[in-house]
mmCIF file with all atom_site columns, all heavy atoms in Angstrom:
data_model
loop_
_atom_site.group_PDB
_atom_site.id
_atom_site.type_symbol
_atom_site.label_atom_id
_atom_site.label_alt_id
_atom_site.label_comp_id
_atom_site.label_asym_id
_atom_site.label_entity_id
_atom_site.label_seq_id
_atom_site.pdbx_PDB_ins_code
_atom_site.Cartn_x
_atom_site.Cartn_y
_atom_site.Cartn_z
_atom_site.occupancy
_atom_site.B_iso_or_equiv
_atom_site.pdbx_formal_charge
_atom_site.auth_seq_id
_atom_site.auth_comp_id
_atom_site.auth_asym_id
_atom_site.auth_atom_id
_atom_site.pdbx_PDB_model_num
ATOM 1   N N   . VAL A 1 58 ? 8.109  -9.171  -3.153  1.00 0.00 ? 58 VAL A N   1
ATOM 2   C CA  . VAL A 1 58 ? 9.426  -9.740  -2.870  1.00 0.00 ? 58 VAL A CA  1
ATOM 3   C C   . VAL A 1 58 ? 9.480  -11.205 -3.279  1.00 0.00 ? 58 VAL A C   1
ATOM 4   O O   . VAL A 1 58 ? 10.455 -11.673 -3.860  1.00 0.00 ? 58 VAL A O   1
ATOM 5   C CB  . VAL A 1 58 ? 9.769  -9.604  -1.370  1.00 0.00 ? 58 VAL A CB  1
ATOM 6   C CG1 . VAL A 1 58 ? 11.123 -10.247 -1.059  1.00 0.00 ? 58 VAL A CG1 1
ATOM 7   C CG2 . VAL A 1 58 ? 9.767  -8.139  -0.959  1.00 0.00 ? 58 VAL A CG2 1
ATOM 8   N N   . ASP A 1 59 ? 8.403  -11.923 -2.986  1.00 0.00 ? 59 ASP A N   1
ATOM 9   C CA  . ASP A 1 59 ? 8.371  -13.361 -3.289  1.00 0.00 ? 59 ASP A CA  1
ATOM 10  C C   . ASP A 1 59 ? 6.918  -13.788 -3.431  1.00 0.00 ? 59 ASP A C   1
ATOM 11  O O   . ASP A 1 59 ? 6.020  -13.196 -2.830  1.00 0.00 ? 59 ASP A O   1
ATOM 12  C CB  . ASP A 1 59 ? 9.064  -14.154 -2.177  1.00 0.00 ? 59 ASP A CB  1
ATOM 13  C CG  . ASP A 1 59 ? 9.218  -15.625 -2.534  1.00 0.00 ? 59 ASP A CG  1
ATOM 14  O OD1 . ASP A 1 59 ? 9.313  -15.932 -3.742  1.00 0.00 ? 59 ASP A OD1 1
ATOM 15  O OD2 . ASP A 1 59 ? 9.249  -16.474 -1.618  1.00 0.00 ? 59 ASP A OD2 1
ATOM 16  N N   . GLY A 1 60 ? 6.701  -14.821 -4.224  1.00 0.00 ? 60 GLY A N   1
ATOM 17  C CA  . GLY A 1 60 ? 5.345  -15.329 -4.416  1.00 0.00 ? 60 GLY A CA  1
ATOM 18  C C   . GLY A 1 60 ? 5.309  -16.371 -5.513  1.00 0.00 ? 60 GLY A C   1
ATOM 19  O O   . GLY A 1 60 ? 6.321  -16.636 -6.178  1.00 0.00 ? 60 GLY A O   1
ATOM 20  N N   . PRO A 1 61 ? 4.138  -16.996 -5.722  1.00 0.00 ? 61 PRO A N   1
ATOM 21  C CA  . PRO A 1 61 ? 4.006  -17.989 -6.787  1.00 0.00 ? 61 PRO A CA  1
ATOM 22  C C   . PRO A 1 61 ? 4.359  -17.391 -8.145  1.00 0.00 ? 61 PRO A C   1
ATOM 23  O O   . PRO A 1 61 ? 4.254  -16.179 -8.359  1.00 0.00 ? 61 PRO A O   1
ATOM 24  C CB  . PRO A 1 61 ? 2.513  -18.374 -6.725  1.00 0.00 ? 61 PRO A CB  1
ATOM 25  C CG  . PRO A 1 61 ? 2.089  -18.016 -5.342  1.00 0.00 ? 61 PRO A CG  1
ATOM 26  C CD  . PRO A 1 61 ? 2.886  -16.808 -4.973  1.00 0.00 ? 61 PRO A CD  1
ATOM 27  N N   . PHE A 1 62 ? 4.779  -18.233 -9.060  1.00 0.00 ? 62 PHE A N   1
ATOM 28  C CA  . PHE A 1 62 ? 5.231  -17.782 -10.376 1.00 0.00 ? 62 PHE A CA  1
ATOM 29  C C   . PHE A 1 62 ? 4.188  -16.910 -11.065 1.00 0.00 ? 62 PHE A C   1
ATOM 30  O O   . PHE A 1 62 ? 4.498  -15.859 -11.634 1.00 0.00 ? 62 PHE A O   1
ATOM 31  C CB  . PHE A 1 62 ? 5.552  -19.004 -11.247 1.00 0.00 ? 62 PHE A CB  1
ATOM 32  C CG  . PHE A 1 62 ? 6.048  -18.656 -12.625 1.00 0.00 ? 62 PHE A CG  1
ATOM 33  C CD1 . PHE A 1 62 ? 7.346  -18.207 -12.805 1.00 0.00 ? 62 PHE A CD1 1
ATOM 34  C CD2 . PHE A 1 62 ? 5.209  -18.754 -13.725 1.00 0.00 ? 62 PHE A CD2 1
ATOM 35  C CE1 . PHE A 1 62 ? 7.797  -17.876 -14.075 1.00 0.00 ? 62 PHE A CE1 1
ATOM 36  C CE2 . PHE A 1 62 ? 5.656  -18.425 -14.992 1.00 0.00 ? 62 PHE A CE2 1
ATOM 37  C CZ  . PHE A 1 62 ? 6.956  -17.990 -15.174 1.00 0.00 ? 62 PHE A CZ  1
ATOM 38  N N   . ILE A 1 63 ? 2.925  -17.306 -11.013 1.00 0.00 ? 63 ILE A N   1
ATOM 39  C CA  . ILE A 1 63 ? 1.883  -16.567 -11.725 1.00 0.00 ? 63 ILE A CA  1
ATOM 40  C C   . ILE A 1 63 ? 1.691  -15.170 -11.138 1.00 0.00 ? 63 ILE A C   1
ATOM 41  O O   . ILE A 1 63 ? 1.440  -14.204 -11.862 1.00 0.00 ? 63 ILE A O   1
ATOM 42  C CB  . ILE A 1 63 ? 0.546  -17.352 -11.727 1.00 0.00 ? 63 ILE A CB  1
ATOM 43  C CG1 . ILE A 1 63 ? -0.449 -16.685 -12.686 1.00 0.00 ? 63 ILE A CG1 1
ATOM 44  C CG2 . ILE A 1 63 ? -0.040 -17.448 -10.330 1.00 0.00 ? 63 ILE A CG2 1
ATOM 45  C CD1 . ILE A 1 63 ? -1.688 -17.519 -12.923 1.00 0.00 ? 63 ILE A CD1 1
ATOM 46  N N   . ILE A 1 64 ? 1.837  -15.044 -9.803  1.00 0.00 ? 64 ILE A N   1
ATOM 47  C CA  . ILE A 1 64 ? 1.719  -13.728 -9.176  1.00 0.00 ? 64 ILE A CA  1
ATOM 48  C C   . ILE A 1 64 ? 2.918  -12.862 -9.551  1.00 0.00 ? 64 ILE A C   1
ATOM 49  O O   . ILE A 1 64 ? 2.778  -11.664 -9.830  1.00 0.00 ? 64 ILE A O   1
ATOM 50  C CB  . ILE A 1 64 ? 1.633  -13.864 -7.641  1.00 0.00 ? 64 ILE A CB  1
ATOM 51  C CG1 . ILE A 1 64 ? 0.370  -14.659 -7.254  1.00 0.00 ? 64 ILE A CG1 1
ATOM 52  C CG2 . ILE A 1 64 ? 1.614  -12.497 -6.967  1.00 0.00 ? 64 ILE A CG2 1
ATOM 53  C CD1 . ILE A 1 64 ? -0.924 -13.970 -7.604  1.00 0.00 ? 64 ILE A CD1 1
ATOM 54  N N   . ARG A 1 65 ? 4.118  -13.444 -9.578  1.00 0.00 ? 65 ARG A N   1
ATOM 55  C CA  . ARG A 1 65 ? 5.305  -12.675 -9.955  1.00 0.00 ? 65 ARG A CA  1
ATOM 56  C C   . ARG A 1 65 ? 5.205  -12.170 -11.381 1.00 0.00 ? 65 ARG A C   1
ATOM 57  O O   . ARG A 1 65 ? 5.629  -11.052 -11.688 1.00 0.00 ? 65 ARG A O   1
ATOM 58  C CB  . ARG A 1 65 ? 6.575  -13.523 -9.794  1.00 0.00 ? 65 ARG A CB  1
ATOM 59  C CG  . ARG A 1 65 ? 6.831  -14.012 -8.376  1.00 0.00 ? 65 ARG A CG  1
ATOM 60  C CD  . ARG A 1 65 ? 8.283  -14.433 -8.197  1.00 0.00 ? 65 ARG A CD  1
ATOM 61  N NE  . ARG A 1 65 ? 8.746  -15.354 -9.218  1.00 0.00 ? 65 ARG A NE  1
ATOM 62  C CZ  . ARG A 1 65 ? 8.652  -16.672 -9.147  1.00 0.00 ? 65 ARG A CZ  1
ATOM 63  N NH1 . ARG A 1 65 ? 8.066  -17.225 -8.090  1.00 0.00 ? 65 ARG A NH1 1
ATOM 64  N NH2 . ARG A 1 65 ? 9.131  -17.429 -10.102 1.00 0.00 ? 65 ARG A NH2 1
ATOM 65  N N   . LYS A 1 66 ? 4.643  -12.971 -12.275 1.00 0.00 ? 66 LYS A N   1
ATOM 66  C CA  . LYS A 1 66 ? 4.565  -12.574 -13.675 1.00 0.00 ? 66 LYS A CA  1
ATOM 67  C C   . LYS A 1 66 ? 3.480  -11.533 -13.925 1.00 0.00 ? 66 LYS A C   1
ATOM 68  O O   . LYS A 1 66 ? 3.580  -10.735 -14.854 1.00 0.00 ? 66 LYS A O   1
ATOM 69  C CB  . LYS A 1 66 ? 4.309  -13.800 -14.559 1.00 0.00 ? 66 LYS A CB  1
ATOM 70  C CG  . LYS A 1 66 ? 5.536  -14.679 -14.708 1.00 0.00 ? 66 LYS A CG  1
ATOM 71  C CD  . LYS A 1 66 ? 6.706  -13.890 -15.273 1.00 0.00 ? 66 LYS A CD  1
ATOM 72  C CE  . LYS A 1 66 ? 7.966  -14.724 -15.393 1.00 0.00 ? 66 LYS A CE  1
ATOM 73  N NZ  . LYS A 1 66 ? 9.116  -13.932 -15.882 1.00 0.00 ? 66 LYS A NZ  1
ATOM 74  N N   . MET A 1 67 ? 2.438  -11.526 -13.107 1.00 0.00 ? 67 MET A N   1
ATOM 75  C CA  . MET A 1 67 ? 1.369  -10.544 -13.313 1.00 0.00 ? 67 MET A CA  1
ATOM 76  C C   . MET A 1 67 ? 1.720  -9.206  -12.669 1.00 0.00 ? 67 MET A C   1
ATOM 77  O O   . MET A 1 67 ? 1.107  -8.186  -12.975 1.00 0.00 ? 67 MET A O   1
ATOM 78  C CB  . MET A 1 67 ? 0.045  -11.042 -12.755 1.00 0.00 ? 67 MET A CB  1
ATOM 79  C CG  . MET A 1 67 ? -0.002 -11.143 -11.243 1.00 0.00 ? 67 MET A CG  1
ATOM 80  S SD  . MET A 1 67 ? -1.652 -11.417 -10.581 1.00 0.00 ? 67 MET A SD  1
ATOM 81  C CE  . MET A 1 67 ? -2.295 -9.757  -10.645 1.00 0.00 ? 67 MET A CE  1
ATOM 82  N N   . ALA A 1 68 ? 2.731  -9.200  -11.782 1.00 0.00 ? 68 ALA A N   1
ATOM 83  C CA  . ALA A 1 68 ? 3.096  -7.958  -11.099 1.00 0.00 ? 68 ALA A CA  1
ATOM 84  C C   . ALA A 1 68 ? 3.741  -6.995  -12.094 1.00 0.00 ? 68 ALA A C   1
ATOM 85  O O   . ALA A 1 68 ? 4.671  -7.358  -12.801 1.00 0.00 ? 68 ALA A O   1
ATOM 86  C CB  . ALA A 1 68 ? 4.062  -8.253  -9.959  1.00 0.00 ? 68 ALA A CB  1
ATOM 87  N N   . PRO A 1 69 ? 3.257  -5.748  -12.179 1.00 0.00 ? 69 PRO A N   1
ATOM 88  C CA  . PRO A 1 69 ? 3.867  -4.758  -13.069 1.00 0.00 ? 69 PRO A CA  1
ATOM 89  C C   . PRO A 1 69 ? 5.213  -4.323  -12.541 1.00 0.00 ? 69 PRO A C   1
ATOM 90  O O   . PRO A 1 69 ? 5.580  -4.659  -11.404 1.00 0.00 ? 69 PRO A O   1
ATOM 91  C CB  . PRO A 1 69 ? 2.857  -3.600  -13.044 1.00 0.00 ? 69 PRO A CB  1
ATOM 92  C CG  . PRO A 1 69 ? 2.155  -3.741  -11.743 1.00 0.00 ? 69 PRO A CG  1
ATOM 93  C CD  . PRO A 1 69 ? 2.114  -5.214  -11.456 1.00 0.00 ? 69 PRO A CD  1
ATOM 94  N N   . PRO A 1 70 ? 6.008  -3.582  -13.346 1.00 0.00 ? 70 PRO A N   1
ATOM 95  C CA  . PRO A 1 70 ? 7.300  -3.073  -12.853 1.00 0.00 ? 70 PRO A CA  1
ATOM 96  C C   . PRO A 1 70 ? 7.128  -2.316  -11.550 1.00 0.00 ? 70 PRO A C   1
ATOM 97  O O   . PRO A 1 70 ? 6.127  -1.623  -11.349 1.00 0.00 ? 70 PRO A O   1
ATOM 98  C CB  . PRO A 1 70 ? 7.755  -2.146  -13.984 1.00 0.00 ? 70 PRO A CB  1
ATOM 99  C CG  . PRO A 1 70 ? 7.080  -2.685  -15.196 1.00 0.00 ? 70 PRO A CG  1
ATOM 100 C CD  . PRO A 1 70 ? 5.749  -3.201  -14.731 1.00 0.00 ? 70 PRO A CD  1
#
Side-chain angles (χ1 to χ4, degrees):
V58 178
D59 188 29
F62 181 76
I63 190 170
I64 298 295
R65 299 199 309 271
K66 286 303 178 183
M67 68 169 280

